[in-house]
Amino acid sequence: MEKRKVRMGIDVGGTYTKCVAMDNETHEIIGKDQVKTTHDDKAGVAAGVVQSFRNCLKNFNIDPSDVVFVAHSTTQATNAFIEGDVANVGIIGIAGGGLEGFLAKRQLRLKDIVLDEKVGRMIKVLNTFIKKKQLTDEVINQNIDELVSQGTDVIVASMAFGVDSMEEEQKIHDLASKKNIPVTMASDITKLYGLTRRTRTAAINASILPKMMATANATESSVRGAGVSVPLMIMRGDGGVMEINEMRKRPILTALSGPAASVMGSLMYLRASNAIYFEVGGTTTNIGVIKNGRPGVDYAKIGGHDTYINSLDVRILGCAGGSMVRISDKDVVDVGPRSAHIAGCEYACFTPEEEIVNPQIELVSPKKGDPADYCVIRLQNGKKICFTNTCAANVLGLVDEKYFAHGNENSARKAMQPVADKLGITVEELATKILDKDYDKVSLCIKSLAEKYELDHDAMKLVGCGGGAAALVPYCAKKMGLDYDIPENAEVISSIGVALAMVRDVVERVIPNPSQEDIKELKQEAVDSAINSGADPDSIEVHVEIDAQTGKVTAIATGSTEVKATDLLKECDENEATKLVTKDFGKDVTDIKLSIKNDKFFVFEATKKGKNSVRIVDRKGFIKVQCSNAFVTKCKIANYKEVVEQLWEEQAEFRTDSVIRPDYFICYGPRISDYSAIDLEQIYLLMDLDLGDRDKQEEIIIVASI
């Protein structure tokens, strides 16, 4: 009998570190374990990562030799910035002479990077500068020694136009490494121009390099000590994973890797390509967007500073499953941002009903400096508890028994009754007021994201994950008139996301009017980067985006750490696909029909609000494309340019001051690619890269969406 292969994912949360073991072929969960996150341990959060990992191996009889993938998310980078646990950075700037050198020297000279102005938390920055023609080993060593004598812990090498030639930065890197001084090359972090921003991004990366390297070494040696031989992977903030060796160079990429893990977990369970996802924890709710099957990604801001680091575009709200309620004599003032565990209290709905005797209201400040209007309920036995969003949702009957947030409705009612009496309202009205406060914050955030990413309300749904998902998502979805999903195992969805994550790497360049050769080179560089980060070469796919306004070309490579030999997910037949899209089309839809099908995809069309709505479903039952207004056709690759040009003209929408051109989706072989540009020639350029080497007689499906 063939031994099973196991994937393991560990997510480090604010309260718990959770490990999940999954069957590599079926994605069935084999085992789960959680430990309290070890913030105060000498080894930091790494101790909890290793502890939960070892527990999972032992408790579920997993042979270490069967583990084919192990990865973890980490809060360490984010926490280092929040807590100011950073190293002193010495920047060696390099530039040519003349006016160029004069201007570059000013751009390279950074001030201390303030992380939190209120408490004076900052990254200490020291600067030195070398003219390019004076860049000898002797001069470099003198500058390194001088910076170290001034208190530098880690070096940054940054050169004007360093993205065009890395040789000079590499020279400094090699000499600093010989002295056992951690070092970051600015051109290793990003290949975009913008000297100050590139140097600042490198300095922020360097500031956490020593601590992250120490933690990485400790975690890796512990995993090796457990008998696991596969490379340890680390979650990136943009939703991919990278080998620990890559993390040693670019630890800044791990910032926001916690929220990224939950998104990737959600994507594994989604049967839709456009959604707003919630990760509802105890203290915070992370909200982001999925469009066309990919999460929204933007440049991260760290301590209020713009960087060139790609991370998921996540909004963090201080209202979640365990948020405490703030009250006055007349009304509910607010909900959050403090949560019950900060005040050392249990949730009312998770407290045995018989304990809730003679509940009395106490107003407290959970932390020094907080307003003294957070509501705590003192019981006759002396115990203090809180009623939270989760309690309010249970009172209103919104939490199904199957969900992690399900609690005792009567316990919640008894704890909330004295406050309802004080405000002169019913317990149900109090619960509604509580959830309305959250809805106000959540709905503003959702509307902002939907507008930024041009999500169509009719094609959008909410996806809830995290232990507190059922406390907020059903209520908000109902008020917004949206469908929602809370996937199975929502409380460990982040760990699942880590276990199933793909290797991801991004290469960006500013190339005005890129040629096909330029884009081929960029694609190859992205592939090479993904291989360096641990992807199997045969599994890598590359998506290219061109921003015509800025001239920025982005190549995103994704791949798995191994090529799966089998795929045991059940095939979806036409009848099942029809049921899925009928549900997804929602209300007010007529004339649903299967317009095109092949051995890989079903394409459905329907009339909704006078427009032609389209859904493309793959043979595994995943809805890959959702368009509220689109035209669908098929043709041979030999003729695709004429069809694309015809749709470019016919589907254009003329407005007073602009022309809106269609976006395209093309189904070829087992893949779907999307293309968007303001120039038809650039559309052809991108399509040719995907279709140019294929059989000209192959039939493809083209969707033009407005």
Side-chain angles (χ1 to χ4, degrees):
M1 181 177 162
E2 191 178 344
K3 291 177 77 177
R4 68 183 176 187
K5 293 180 178 180
V6 180
R7 300 179 74 86
M8 298 188 73
I10 307 132
D11 177 61
V12 182
T15 308
Y16 289 102
T17 294
K18 299 177 181 180
C19 181
V20 164
M22 303 182 75
D23 187 290
N24 186 52
E25 305 293 350
T26 64
H27 294 174
E28 174 193 357
I29 292 180
I30 296 165
K32 311 177 198 175
D33 185 81
Q34 72 175 34
V35 299
K36 280 281 182 80
T37 297
T38 53
H39 295 293
D40 299 325
D41 193 277
K42 190 171 74 172
V45 297
V49 169
V50 172
Q51 193 182 334
S52 64
F53 172 72
R54 286 175 175 266
N55 288 352
C56 225
L57 289 179
K58 181 183 174 185
N59 296 341
F60 298 96
N61 300 314
I62 298 167
D63 190 320
S65 65
D66 292 341
V67 177
V68 296
F69 178 91
V70 57
H72 73 85
S73 72
T74 175
T75 58
Q76 192 170 8
T78 308
N79 289 347
F81 298 131
I82 291 169
E83 295 161 12
D85 190 6
V86 289
N88 295 340
V89 177
I91 295 172
I92 300 179
I94 319 147
L99 181 61
E100 176 203 301
F102 175 75
L103 295 172
K105 188 174 181 179
R106 290 174 62 184
Q107 290 175 288
L108 284 160
R109 191 170 188 84
L110 296 189
K111 294 178 181 176
D112 291 345
I113 299 169
V114 177
L115 298 172
D116 189 330
E117 207 162 359
K118 289 180 184 174
V119 294
R121 204 169 283 139
M122 64 180 65
I123 300 169
K124 177 76 177 166
V125 178
L126 301 116
N127 294 272
T128 187
F129 179 81
I130 306 173
K131 287 184 178 176
K132 193 173 171 183
K133 63 183 179 184
Q134 296 172 346
L135 203 67
T136 64
D137 288 6
E138 185 183 355
V139 171
I140 292 169
N141 280 323
Q142 281 174 1
N143 278 269
I144 292 172
D145 292 344
E146 186 181 327
L147 286 170
V148 170
S149 71
Q150 293 170 10
T152 288
D153 301 309
V154 57
I155 297 289
V156 167
S158 184
M159 188 180 85
F161 303 104
V163 296
D164 300 326
S165 167
M166 294 174 62
E167 188 181 327
E168 292 80 5
E169 291 182 8
Q170 187 70 52
K171 207 170 183 179
I172 293 170
H173 175 279
D174 294 346
L175 289 170
S177 298
K178 277 184 185 176
K179 294 173 179 283
N180 293 317
I181 300 168
V183 59
T184 290
M185 293 162 53
S187 52
D188 243 356
I189 304 298
T190 177
K191 297 294 193 296
L192 290 177
Y193 295 111
L195 185 55
T196 301
R197 189 166 170 184
R198 186 168 81 247
T199 307
R200 186 195 302 121
T201 305
I204 293 170
N205 179 79
S207 74
I208 57 171
L209 197 56
K211 184 132 191 171
M212 294 289 282
M213 282 172 68
T215 302
N217 294 340
T219 311
E220 186 177 42
S221 62
S222 295
V223 170
R224 290 280 169 273
V228 174
S229 58
V230 293
L232 177 62
M233 310 296 285
I234 312 292
M235 195 84 192
R236 295 162 48 125
D238 62 6
V241 289
M242 60 183 175
E243 272 195 15
I244 198 163
N245 285 333
E246 278 298 301
M247 194 277 273
R248 287 185 175 104
K249 284 198 304 187
R250 300 182 287 171
I252 194 173
L253 297 182
T254 67
L256 290 176
S257 71
S262 66
V263 186
M264 303 323 287
S266 300
L267 278 169
M268 304 302 162
Y269 284 78
L270 271 181
R271 288 190 180 273
S273 55
N274 291 285
I276 298 287
Y277 65 83
F278 284 58
E279 185 200 17
V280 187
T283 305
T284 58
T285 294
N286 301 315
I287 302 182
V289 66
I290 297 164
K291 183 175 183 182
N292 297 331
R294 284 193 292 272
V297 174
D298 207 342
Y299 292 126
K301 275 197 171 190
I302 295 175
H305 302 282
D306 291 325
T307 72
Y308 276 138
I309 296 304
N310 282 290
S311 74
L312 295 188
D313 191 0
V314 175
R315 313 292 161 88
I316 301 172
L317 302 182
C319 57
S323 295
M324 296 172 71
V325 179
R326 295 171 56 199
I327 63 168
S328 67
D329 289 337
K330 297 179 180 177
D331 207 352
V332 172
V333 174
D334 202 357
V335 178
R338 298 299 181 206
S339 57
H341 85 271
I342 294 291
C345 297
E346 293 176 14
Y347 298 14
C349 63
F350 298 145
T351 302
E353 192 178 338
E354 60 273 15
E355 284 190 23
I356 304 179
V357 178
N358 193 23
Q360 298 293 316
I361 301 168
E362 281 190 11
L363 299 182
V364 303
S365 300
K367 282 202 164 186
K368 191 178 177 182
D370 286 344
D373 58 2
Y374 282 89
C375 187
V376 168
I377 301 298
R378 183 167 40 83
L379 307 179
Q380 188 167 290
N381 62 8
K383 185 176 181 178
K384 293 181 180 180
I385 62 174
C386 293
F387 57 87
T388 65
N389 285 320
T390 303
C391 302
N394 274 282
V395 161
L396 295 176
L398 297 175
V399 187
D400 193 287
E401 280 186 31
K402 65 184 177 184
Y403 294 133
F404 193 74
H406 184 264
N408 187 320
E409 179 189 330
N410 288 335
S411 293
R413 281 180 175 279
K414 287 172 77 172
M416 291 166 68
Q417 190 67 58
V419 175
D421 292 344
K422 177 184 173 75
L423 301 180
I425 56 177
T426 65
V427 171
E428 286 82 2
E429 286 170 332
L430 173 58
T432 302
K433 277 178 176 286
I434 291 167
L435 293 180
D436 276 345
K437 288 289 182 187
D438 297 297
Y439 172 74
D440 290 343
K441 299 172 190 176
V442 166
S443 60
L444 276 175
C445 183
I446 290 173
K447 285 169 186 170
S448 167
L449 283 166
E451 190 175 315
K452 178 175 178 178
Y453 289 94
E454 298 178 342
L455 286 185
D456 191 316
H457 187 276
D458 294 336
M460 196 167 72
K461 69 161 67 172
L462 303 186
V463 177
C465 50
L472 289 183
V473 176
Y475 189 81
C476 293
K478 186 178 179 182
K479 289 206 71 163
M480 295 193 80
L482 295 171
D483 287 335
Y484 73 90
D485 275 339
I486 298 178
E488 193 180 350
N489 297 301
E491 75 282 4
V492 288
I493 202 78
S494 295
S495 302
I496 292 169
V498 177
L500 297 180
M502 304 277 276
V503 175
R504 188 180 197 273
D505 230 301
V506 180
V507 177
E508 298 174 304
R509 291 277 192 287
V510 175
I511 312 173
N513 303 314
S515 66
Q516 197 165 70
E517 199 54 45
D518 290 331
I519 294 177
K520 275 185 179 173
E521 283 180 19
L522 205 66
K523 282 184 81 170
Q524 188 56 52
E525 189 176 341
V527 168
D528 293 344
S529 295
I531 292 169
N532 288 339
S533 291
D536 185 291
D538 294 334
S539 71
I540 296 171
E541 293 185 14
V542 183
H543 172 72
V544 177
E545 297 171 355
I546 299 175
D547 186 326
Q549 291 181 313
T550 62
K552 187 177 77 174
V553 185
T554 306
I556 304 164
T558 53
S560 58
T561 53
E562 61 160 355
V563 178
K564 288 174 64 177
T566 59
D567 188 347
L568 302 184
L569 288 172
K570 193 166 83 66
E571 288 272 321
C572 170
D573 61 25
E574 186 178 323
N575 187 43
E576 289 171 303
T578 304
K579 287 178 184 174
L580 285 169
V581 297
T582 300
K583 182 186 174 189
D584 194 71
F585 275 127
K587 298 173 289 185
D588 307 321
V589 68
T590 57
D591 305 324
I592 298 175
K593 64 177 181 181
L594 176 64
S595 54
I596 299 174
K597 72 172 179 178
N598 59 26
D599 61 338
K600 303 295 182 189
F601 301 103
F602 300 103
V603 183
F604 290 87
E605 296 180 78
T607 302
K608 187 168 184 176
K609 296 182 180 177
K611 295 178 179 177
N612 193 56
S613 203
V614 172
R615 301 289 186 269
I616 300 179
V617 187
D618 71 10
R619 290 286 176 162
K620 301 301 178 189
F622 285 89
I623 298 172
K624 306 298 284 186
V625 172
Q626 296 168 299
C627 301
S628 293
N629 188 19
F631 180 85
V632 183
T633 188
K634 58 182 179 178
C635 68
K636 291 181 178 175
I637 288 177
N639 307 322
Y640 90 85
K641 285 188 178 178
E642 298 113 77
V643 175
V644 167
E645 184 175 5
Q646 185 180 348
L647 293 171
W648 182 262
E649 299 300 334
E650 289 180 357
Q651 299 300 305
E653 194 174 285
F654 293 88
R655 298 183 180 174
T656 309
D657 55 353
S658 62
V659 182
I660 307 299
R661 297 291 184 178
D663 292 335
Y664 294 91
F665 298 89
I666 295 185
C667 305
Y668 57 99
R671 295 182 180 178
I672 298 179
S673 290
D674 59 296
Y675 309 90
S676 175
I678 58 172
D679 183 294
L680 189 57
E681 289 306 313
Q682 285 188 344
I683 295 276
Y684 289 154
L685 189 69
L686 295 174
M687 290 179 175
D688 268 348
L689 285 166
D690 292 328
L691 304 176
D693 297 333
R694 301 182 74 86
D695 182 351
K696 301 301 181 209
Q697 297 307 303
E698 179 185 342
E699 196 166 68
I700 58 174
I701 299 166
I702 299 179
V703 177
S705 171
I706 286 290

